[in-house]
Amino acid sequence: MFPERPARNWPLIIATAGFLAAMTWWSANGIGFSLIELLCNITGGGRLISESWPPDFSFLPRLADPFLETLNIAVIGTVIGGILSVPVAVLAARNLTLGRVVWFTDRNFMNVLRTLPDLFWAMLFATAVGFGPVAGALALSVFTIAVISKLWSESLESIDMGLPEAVRAVGGTWLQMLRFGAVPQAMQTYVSYALYAFELNVRASMVLGLVGAGGIGMILETQRANFEYERVALIVLVVLVAVLIIEEISEAIRSRLA
Amino acid sequence: MSERRLRGQQRIGGATWATFIIAALFVWSMWAIGFSPERLGKLPAQMVEVLGFFWPADMAYGWDKVLPAIAESIQIAWIGTIIGAIFSLPLALLGARTLFPKFARVVKLISATTRAFPEILLAIYFVPIVGLGAFAGALAIGISSIGMLTKLGSEVVDSIDFGPVEAVEAAGGSRILALRYAVLPQVLPEIIAHWLFRFELNIRASAVLGVVGAGGVGGVLLNTLRYRHFDKAAAVLVLTILIVLAIDMVSGEIRRRIIRG
């Protein structure tokens, strides 16, 4: 009367469970995970919070300049990265690229860019061009290329190829095909990915200062080193509010675009 | 027809304005942080010079010091992902607007707040609590994973087919039974794919935590660069790129298979 229950692939289930257990055991041992330690030190957490409260609001005026610098870094990173990610994404899209070799090279370039986190780029650029916001802006530019080009090349691959082929058929060049046939179809997704990258960049720019790449994170680092936890709490609060506001704005714009 | 043309013109106007505003913001930002055109012009030469320092990479240092640090980053990411997965699953179910309209708001607020914290700020707070090291990093990664996975999970649950849920309840099953037999089977493949994707992101996040003393490969990179041991820094970069690429490829392949079913 009932349909038969699908058979289970027991070897696969056992192998997966074994792998998960082994991985978890190896990791928990490696990092010294212990609930007992966590519970014993929870009082330390309470002390930390009581030291952080109330946040030192008299420190707020001194945050204004670094805060603006942080936003400047995020804007520059998003604009430079956003522009450079266009060719990277186009050449990584299988249906638009200029031959297999270009596609393969660009795709791997993109994947390598994606492996390194934002703060690694910040450390590298701080070494190359010196400490300060310029290093941060360059780091976020590279990070933005990695974010946008991967996502956007996937949307470019899913466009309707009728229009680009029509442009080619009437004698359009490759660039004209992109300009009039391909890119307009994926313009909205580009804008929404650029906004998403901007959100990530604002969040990242807040902490770039920890490695000397400018912005509000530099103040955070000095205050933390001096155990001024009321000030650290204020900075964290400012970062939190800023990130939430930017997210709201960007989500509102994105939902209007869709 | 004229109305349509008008609307078309308005939209072009909006895009032009947006471009203009973005350009103005960009120029102001460049000026504010002192990023002059001359500096931009000198950049390529500078980059080439610095790249030269990185060659050749000190691979002996890589095997001895960098590999264990990368292993620690992977361990942090793994435990963080497990913490995130365990706590986010019930939260994702509670946060689904279609199943539990009353709880959804509270859950959404919790997940939005935890997501807004960059992991590294959480780590700054966990380091004094549990001490320097990887454990603090895993907790930080875990907390921020809960936020993101809850949000993504709720969206998956909201998009399910409600037929099976109604069928279970019509046959006299409780809410819990409906979750077990109607909701979970539908959402688990996608949710597991999100866990794997989050693990890929967590490896990158855990790699930087060393900057604040929370374990992993970030601290090694920071120290090698600080003391100008560029050949050692090169070993860190090469090994990180290769290992993260390999993990991305494996995890991406598993994700594709799970989604395809």
Side-chain angles (χ1 to χ4, degrees):
Chain A
M1 185 179 157
F2 297 111
E4 212 161 294
R5 218 180 161 140
R8 301 210 163 175
N9 185 349
W10 283 111
L12 182 70
I13 292 176
I14 292 170
T16 313
F19 173 75
L20 292 180
M23 194 68 191
T24 308
W25 188 81
W26 175 66
S27 302
N29 259 335
I31 66 170
F33 186 92
S34 88
L35 280 178
I36 298 167
E37 197 181 327
L38 182 62
L39 290 176
C40 289
N41 286 307
I42 219 90
T43 50
R47 207 181 61 230
L48 192 65
I49 287 172
S50 70
E51 263 178 53
S52 312
W53 200 260
D56 179 7
F57 281 102
S58 64
F59 195 60
L60 201 56
R62 278 179 53 197
L63 290 182
D65 282 343
F67 183 75
L68 275 183
E69 189 176 87
T70 287
L71 293 183
N72 288 333
I73 294 172
V75 168
I76 296 175
T78 313
V79 172
I80 295 184
I83 292 171
L84 292 180
S85 65
V86 171
V88 177
V90 167
L91 293 177
R94 206 184 288 259
N95 50 348
L96 301 173
T97 187
L98 294 167
R100 281 201 70 80
V101 180
V102 177
W103 174 78
F104 184 79
T105 318
D106 188 49
R107 192 144 197 104
N108 282 310
F109 168 72
M110 205 168 75
N111 284 338
V112 169
L113 279 193
R114 259 161 47 80
T115 56
L116 293 185
D118 39 13
L119 279 190
F120 273 34
W121 292 114
M123 287 185 230
L124 290 173
F125 279 108
T127 313
V129 303
F131 291 122
V134 174
L138 290 171
L140 289 190
S141 304
V142 176
F143 180 65
T144 305
I145 299 176
V147 172
I148 297 184
S149 62
K150 172 75 178 167
L151 292 168
W152 200 45
S153 73
E154 275 162 19
S155 0
L156 283 173
E157 278 179 350
S158 66
I159 61 169
D160 169 20
M161 280 308 281
L163 215 50
E165 275 160 20
V167 175
R168 285 298 247 185
V170 296
T173 62
W174 182 72
L175 279 177
Q176 283 168 334
M177 179 269 281
L178 289 179
R179 166 76 184 81
F180 299 104
V183 170
Q185 289 188 55
M187 205 55 216
Q188 277 193 359
T189 48
Y190 175 78
V191 173
S192 106
Y193 291 146
L195 282 168
Y196 171 65
F198 183 62
E199 278 174 42
L200 292 183
N201 281 342
V202 168
R203 197 172 314 182
S205 65
M206 299 286 171
V207 294
L208 286 176
L210 293 175
V211 295
I216 206 168
M218 277 173 134
I219 307 243
L220 179 66
E221 182 63 10
T222 47
Q223 298 308 323
R224 186 176 75 96
N226 294 331
F227 302 105
E228 298 271 12
Y229 275 105
E230 290 109 337
R231 291 178 173 180
V232 172
L234 179 76
I235 297 170
V236 170
L237 205 64
V238 167
V239 171
L240 206 63
V241 171
V243 170
L244 283 174
I245 290 176
I246 298 272
E247 236 170 58
E248 280 299 312
I249 295 175
S250 139
E251 213 158 279
I253 298 178
R254 267 193 284 171
S255 68
R256 274 187 59 184
L257 280 176
Chain B
M1 200 191 110
S2 64
E3 199 189 341
R4 268 179 85 173
R5 205 165 64 205
L6 246 176
R7 267 170 59 196
Q9 277 171 349
Q10 269 174 356
R11 270 179 61 191
I12 291 166
T16 315
W17 271 110
T19 316
F20 179 73
I21 292 171
I22 292 169
L25 275 176
F26 177 69
V27 172
W28 167 64
S29 298
M30 292 286 272
W31 173 80
I33 69 166
F35 197 163
S36 57
E38 301 98 78
R39 218 163 155 188
L40 198 61
K42 271 196 299 189
L43 199 64
Q46 235 168 352
M47 299 309 296
V48 170
E49 194 193 341
V50 172
L51 268 182
F53 295 148
F54 280 86
W55 189 260
D58 180 355
M59 288 321 274
Y61 181 78
W63 305 127
D64 288 352
K65 290 276 158 33
V66 180
L67 272 188
I70 292 180
E72 193 175 58
S73 283
I74 295 172
Q75 292 168 334
I76 294 172
W78 183 266
I79 295 292
T81 311
I82 298 248
I83 294 177
I86 291 175
F87 285 95
S88 72
L89 189 58
L91 279 175
L93 293 174
L94 280 178
R97 255 178 306 129
T98 42
L99 288 177
F100 302 97
K102 279 183 203 148
F103 292 107
R105 254 216 183 140
V106 185
V107 172
K108 206 181 160 205
L109 191 72
I110 297 173
S111 88
T113 327
T114 48
R115 268 184 302 130
F117 275 104
E119 286 92 354
I120 210 158
L121 289 190
L122 288 171
I124 284 178
Y125 272 88
F126 279 118
V127 164
I129 295 176
V130 297
L132 282 176
F135 186 33
L139 290 174
I141 299 273
I143 301 261
S144 74
S145 300
I146 295 176
M148 182 51 96
L149 289 175
T150 302
K151 176 180 185 252
L152 294 172
S154 302
E155 281 166 10
V156 175
V157 177
D158 273 335
S159 68
I160 60 168
D161 170 15
F162 271 84
V165 180
E166 280 161 19
V168 171
E169 292 190 337
S174 63
R175 247 292 131 88
I176 304 284
L177 281 175
L179 285 181
R180 165 69 186 82
Y181 290 102
V183 179
L184 274 188
Q186 287 191 61
V187 298
L188 263 189
E190 244 180 284
I191 285 187
I192 290 175
H194 281 313
W195 289 348
L196 277 169
F197 184 62
R198 187 69 209 180
F199 175 60
E200 292 169 38
L201 293 183
N202 280 348
I203 287 188
R204 293 162 171 82
S206 69
V208 300
L209 287 180
V211 169
V212 296
V217 72
V220 180
L221 182 63
L222 191 64
N223 280 330
T224 52
L225 287 176
R226 190 174 280 161
Y227 298 109
R228 302 279 180 248
H229 294 311
F230 292 116
D231 50 342
K232 291 177 176 156
V236 176
L237 294 175
V238 169
L239 287 173
T240 309
I241 289 175
L242 288 180
I243 291 173
V244 175
L245 265 183
I247 292 176
D248 276 5
M249 274 165 66
V250 173
S251 162
E253 187 55 38
I254 299 176
R255 274 193 286 138
R256 267 188 291 280
R257 289 207 184 163
I258 291 178
I259 290 289
R260 238 187 280 132

